[in-house]
Amino acid sequence: MILTMEKKQIQQCDIHFLEGQPFKTNIIAILLRIPLTRQNTTKTALLAEVLKNGCQQYPSRKAVNEKMDDMMGSVFDISILKKGQEQILFFYLEMVKGELLKKGFEFLQNMIFSPLEERKGFPKNMVEREKKILAEKIKGRQDDKKEYAKLRCLEEMCKENTFGIFADGYQEDLKEIDEMILLLHYKNMLKHAKVEIFLTGNAEQKQDMISMAKKMPFQSDFLWQAETISVKKKKEITKVQETLSIAQSRIVLGFDTNVLPEQKEFSSLLVCNELFGGSPASLLFQNVREKEGACYDISSFLFRLYPILMVKAGIEKQYYQKAVEVIQNSLKILQEQQVEKQDLQQAKESIIRYYISMKDSQTALMDFSFNEWILKTNRSIEQFVKEIENVTQKEVQKRAKELTLNTIYFLQ
């Protein structure tokens, strides 16, 4: 898939075209990018749910669904994305290739620019209903203990910046939001958000799709700038313990990687993570689970747009100290010993398979391209894979030495 980009004549609306011959559908994705802040995160999360209820042209979810049926079973959704220190309101429309493009753009224009209104606000009953549904969704965060522990560790690690803010909102903030506040927030987003339009299609569709996208009446003046990510050395490890009624305890260790996501060193950090805890052949899996039996499950992972590596594990609470020690000792092995060439090659091949598999999914390709656009690196998957292929043993060892334990979170 080939990515090309054109800038609309009005300020701050970028149009990206991803050429994809093998796919049977076109995608139009519109992203409204704003800073991730505690003040606005719940309002934006609620917006995603309220806007799904329709617009003036299609004034109910039923009418929206009927329109999708009329468009040969097209798929429409509005959701929230978190990208680094940004929160994104994401409009998504996927339709069969052919004669539906004009209808698709008209539908999106109606949904975005002609929302349901009632006396200077969204319809009150609709907002109150969606507030209750979102409150239950937020409350349910604790139901998935693996995800909850990860999010809580992230929240503790990022108290001094916005990356730890929950992009799907906070229950206690909902009571302050009414139908007028929410509509005002949406109008401010349309006026000030950074707008991205991603399109997928065949090469012969490119100019028509870009021409239609340019007619979308965005007039954003885009006033904000993303917070600069800086790498800081932390002297003391933060330790947090929390008690909930759970059958299995969870631990999460958060490490500062000291590698910014746009740096070329990220490719060797990916390989380092794969060897550390990214697969069943990794040191963490073999040492903590198989040899020591100190956990039920364990893995490590990276955040693509923020310099953090996390290790998460399910344990019996009496094994807390032992699990932490074996995790730290496993990292020391990577730091003090060069990885075997065969293990290095297997790790690289595993990562490469993952990135090559993205070519089978338009949404995965779009996400990869958008990350590259945010980072201003703008690499293709082929270029990224080449960087991974060139990673050396010494680079992996150096990345391991740069990992610094920041926070230990224990949920029991």
Side-chain angles (χ1 to χ4, degrees):
M1 181 169 273
I2 301 167
L3 171 67
T4 57
M5 192 279 286
E6 294 200 13
K7 188 178 286 290
K8 195 174 177 181
Q9 293 304 306
I10 67 165
Q11 191 176 0
Q12 300 302 341
C13 180
D14 295 323
I15 300 170
H16 311 261
F17 184 82
L18 291 89
E19 183 183 320
Q21 294 293 142
F23 301 109
K24 297 179 180 179
T25 57
N26 292 119
I27 292 175
I28 307 169
I30 297 175
L31 297 80
L32 305 185
R33 299 167 57 186
I34 62 172
L36 180 60
T37 66
R38 179 59 191 266
Q39 178 185 1
N40 288 327
T41 184
T42 307
K43 286 183 281 192
T44 310
L46 182 58
L47 259 181
E49 302 307 318
V50 168
L51 290 170
K52 290 178 191 177
N53 283 273
C55 62
Q56 293 175 29
Q57 182 74 19
Y58 310 104
S60 66
R61 289 192 183 229
K62 181 181 178 183
V64 171
N65 290 334
E66 287 174 350
K67 179 61 177 176
M68 293 299 97
D69 290 340
D70 180 58
M71 292 173 59
M72 300 175 65
S74 296
V75 177
F76 171 69
D77 193 24
I78 306 172
S79 60
I80 294 298
L81 302 179
K82 178 179 175 179
K83 291 288 185 182
Q85 291 167 286
E86 296 182 22
Q87 187 182 27
I88 297 169
L89 189 61
F90 180 67
F91 297 84
Y92 176 90
L93 179 63
E94 184 171 4
M95 58 209 140
V96 174
K97 281 180 179 174
E99 305 301 319
L100 295 175
L101 284 174
K102 186 177 180 182
K103 285 185 178 181
F105 277 102
E106 289 173 350
F107 169 79
L108 283 173
Q109 184 165 324
N110 278 307
M111 292 296 295
I112 294 170
F113 295 101
S114 301
L116 294 170
E117 292 189 43
E118 186 179 274
R119 293 191 296 274
K120 298 183 180 180
F122 289 108
K124 182 179 179 63
N125 291 341
M126 180 178 74
V127 172
E128 291 304 313
R129 181 179 68 248
E130 294 300 340
K131 283 171 66 174
K132 290 178 183 178
I133 294 170
L134 182 58
E136 288 301 312
K137 178 182 174 183
I138 293 170
K139 187 179 178 182
R141 270 200 295 250
Q142 289 190 1
D143 295 340
D144 184 344
K145 299 303 186 293
K146 291 183 181 181
E147 185 67 11
Y148 177 74
K150 182 192 85 172
L151 292 173
R152 283 288 295 116
C153 183
L154 192 62
E155 189 176 37
E156 293 293 334
M157 284 186 75
C158 299
K159 283 184 174 180
E160 296 182 3
N161 58 62
T162 63
F163 189 62
I165 293 173
F166 296 141
D168 55 352
Y170 295 81
Q171 192 171 353
E172 60 268 29
D173 294 346
L174 282 167
K175 62 177 180 284
E176 305 296 332
I177 304 171
D178 64 23
E179 65 277 9
M180 289 184 284
I181 289 172
L182 192 63
L183 182 60
L184 180 61
H185 176 60
Y186 184 50
K187 289 181 176 179
N188 283 333
M189 283 190 69
L190 289 175
K191 185 177 180 182
H192 300 306
K194 174 73 174 69
V195 182
E196 310 279 352
I197 302 177
F198 274 82
L199 312 168
T200 72
N202 297 338
E204 56 269 23
Q205 296 176 305
K206 177 181 175 181
Q207 290 309 316
D208 283 344
M209 293 188 76
I210 290 175
S211 177
M212 292 180 199
K214 285 182 176 180
K215 292 177 183 177
M216 296 288 282
F218 288 106
Q219 295 292 333
S220 172
D221 56 15
F222 182 44
L223 297 179
W224 66 275
Q225 290 293 330
E227 184 180 336
T228 302
I229 299 173
S230 59
V231 174
K232 297 178 181 178
K233 296 284 185 179
K234 185 179 177 183
K235 294 181 180 179
E236 294 184 4
I237 299 169
T238 300
K239 295 183 179 181
V240 180
Q241 291 193 15
E242 189 173 352
T243 301
L244 290 175
S245 178
I246 55 175
Q248 182 187 115
S249 295
R250 303 294 307 178
I251 57 169
V252 183
L253 278 66
F255 294 83
D256 294 313
T257 67
N258 297 298
V259 173
L260 295 175
E262 67 270 22
Q263 291 179 306
K264 59 181 177 60
E265 287 83 3
F266 184 79
S267 55
S268 52
L269 180 62
L270 265 178
V271 180
C272 178
N273 174 70
E274 184 75 10
L275 291 159
F276 183 37
S279 76
S282 66
L283 285 169
L284 289 181
F285 192 88
Q286 296 300 321
N287 292 341
V288 187
R289 187 180 186 278
E290 297 298 304
K291 291 181 182 178
E292 299 294 338
C295 67
Y296 295 106
D297 62 88
I298 190 164
S299 62
S300 68
F301 58 95
L302 293 164
F303 290 89
R304 180 63 187 99
L305 297 177
Y306 208 81
I308 288 175
L309 179 147
M310 278 189 172
V311 174
K312 59 180 182 179
I315 63 170
E316 295 284 351
K317 67 179 179 180
Q318 64 266 28
Y319 289 126
Y320 164 74
Q321 197 60 47
K322 181 179 182 180
V324 171
E325 288 175 2
V326 181
I327 289 168
Q328 292 178 300
N329 288 336
S330 297
L331 179 58
K332 282 183 182 179
I333 293 172
L334 269 181
Q335 292 170 334
E336 296 172 359
Q337 302 175 21
Q338 274 199 9
V339 62
E340 296 289 335
K341 286 186 177 180
Q342 182 179 352
D343 294 336
L344 176 68
Q345 187 60 31
Q346 287 177 350
K348 290 197 284 189
E349 288 174 358
S350 176
I351 298 168
I352 288 169
R353 281 195 300 271
Y354 169 75
Y355 279 96
I356 292 297
S357 72
M358 287 183 173
K359 294 182 177 183
D360 298 327
S361 167
Q362 291 188 92
T363 51
L365 283 166
M366 190 181 299
D367 189 63
F368 176 86
S369 299
F370 186 46
N371 288 342
E372 291 291 306
W373 173 249
I374 290 174
L375 297 170
K376 298 181 172 61
T377 45
N378 294 321
R379 291 164 296 193
S380 65
I381 286 179
E382 289 76 16
Q383 290 170 322
F384 195 67
V385 164
K386 191 68 176 176
E387 290 183 12
I388 293 166
E389 288 174 341
N390 292 333
V391 170
T392 67
Q393 294 162 294
K394 288 184 178 179
E395 287 173 330
V396 169
Q397 189 174 24
K398 188 175 182 181
R399 297 293 86 76
K401 288 179 178 179
E402 290 170 344
L403 292 174
T404 306
L405 184 58
N406 179 302
T407 299
I408 301 174
Y409 174 82
F410 180 35
L411 179 65
Q412 59 178 335

